[in-house]
Amino acid sequence: MFSKRSIVICLLMAILCDFLMADDDGLEDQKRQVYMLKGQLYEQQNRAKLAEIAKQKNGLFLGGVLGTMSIDRANYIGHPIALGAKIGYQKYLSSYIAGLRFYAEYLGASDFQEILYQLGSVNLDLIADIPLDSDQRYSIGFFAGVGMGWTHYDDKLTKSALGNFGPVVNMGMAITLNLKSRIEVEMKIPPIKLNDSQKFKFSTTNLYFVSYNFLF
């Protein structure tokens, strides 16, 4: 038989155990709450950081273009050097990965002897970047878009001229350096690639070029 003293001691020990277990449960709840708060704070800070990066990637840009194309006309196949410039504005989404850009571009190609090819266009491209560093200041990217362009071809040898207005298609790859500098390799499909008539035969390939854009 248990004495009254033993019963009291057992009751006190049971109460103490319940108290300690309740205290442990409360401590675990506090730890979970602190962990959840830290996670929410990190997500908010990360969203703010990405939004700031996207903001830094928005703005006016200016670029220079260097490339070439093939021109085929009667008894002549040439690969004139193409030089040009572009100016426009780009806007990234809050995710900083994808965005849009609108720009005007001029390209002139010549063999400096007989032929002169010109292309002026306004363009809208979808751009997407894959970051290469934790600060998202360096990335590789891709772009594709469409536009409307005017092309004009002058031939001193045949004393012929050709002009046309129509759609253009752009696509290429890019690398971004420190957010501000963007180097692109691009293919552009011009409005006119073939003209075949009794007076004048003319055809071109797509334009292939490298460009450098600086973001202000």
Side-chain angles (χ1 to χ4, degrees):
M1 298 295 292
F2 294 102
S3 65
K4 292 183 178 180
R5 183 177 180 181
S6 299
I7 295 174
V8 171
I9 292 174
C10 290
L11 290 174
L12 290 175
M13 290 181 65
I15 293 171
L16 179 60
C17 289
D18 288 342
F19 175 78
L20 292 175
M21 291 179 63
D23 189 58
D24 288 340
D25 291 341
L27 183 60
E28 289 298 324
D29 289 339
Q30 290 180 358
K31 288 182 178 180
R32 283 194 293 269
Q33 291 176 3
V34 170
Y35 179 79
M36 293 178 62
L37 289 174
K38 286 183 177 179
Q40 293 175 359
L41 179 60
Y42 173 79
E43 290 181 358
Q44 291 177 356
Q45 291 176 339
N46 192 50
R47 284 196 296 266
K49 178 182 178 180
L50 298 182
E52 180 61 26
I53 292 172
K55 184 178 179 180
Q56 293 178 24
K57 296 174 72 173
N58 298 337
L60 181 72
F61 67 89
L62 183 65
V65 180
L66 173 64
T68 189
M69 63 187 301
S70 294
I71 294 179
D72 185 359
R73 52 125 162 110
N75 301 319
Y76 175 88
I77 298 178
H79 307 280
I81 297 174
L83 298 174
K86 63 176 71 174
I87 184 171
Y89 184 86
Q90 66 183 34
K91 172 71 174 179
Y92 277 78
L93 304 177
S94 58
S95 65
Y96 79 87
I97 293 177
L100 294 171
R101 67 179 181 185
F102 177 79
Y103 60 99
E105 183 177 57
Y106 170 81
L107 294 168
S110 175
D111 64 353
F112 304 102
Q113 293 180 356
E114 298 177 353
I115 60 175
L116 174 62
Y117 179 91
Q118 300 179 82
L119 172 62
S121 61
V122 290
N123 307 268
L124 178 65
D125 290 350
L126 173 65
I127 48 182
D129 295 336
I130 302 174
L132 299 176
D133 66 317
S134 58
D135 291 329
Q136 287 87 28
R137 301 188 69 85
Y138 297 84
S139 63
I140 58 173
F142 306 89
F143 63 92
V146 295
M148 293 298 294
W150 165 85
T151 185
H152 187 79
Y153 173 75
D154 283 314
D155 190 324
K156 293 182 179 180
L157 181 62
T158 60
K159 296 181 180 180
S160 301
L162 176 66
N164 191 40
F165 182 79
V168 297
V169 178
N170 317 303
M171 61 186 70
M173 300 177 60
I175 181 169
T176 300
L177 306 174
N178 200 27
L179 291 181
K180 296 296 184 181
S181 297
R182 186 177 179 93
I183 301 171
E184 298 181 341
V185 179
E186 181 177 351
M187 181 189 77
K188 182 182 287 287
I189 302 175
I192 181 172
K193 294 179 62 178
L194 175 64
N195 181 75
D196 190 353
S197 64
Q198 293 182 352
K199 294 182 179 180
F200 185 52
K201 293 183 178 181
F202 164 81
S203 66
T204 72
T205 62
N206 300 324
L207 288 93
Y208 302 93
F209 52 86
V210 177
S211 64
Y212 171 79
N213 301 334
F214 183 80
L215 179 65
F216 291 92

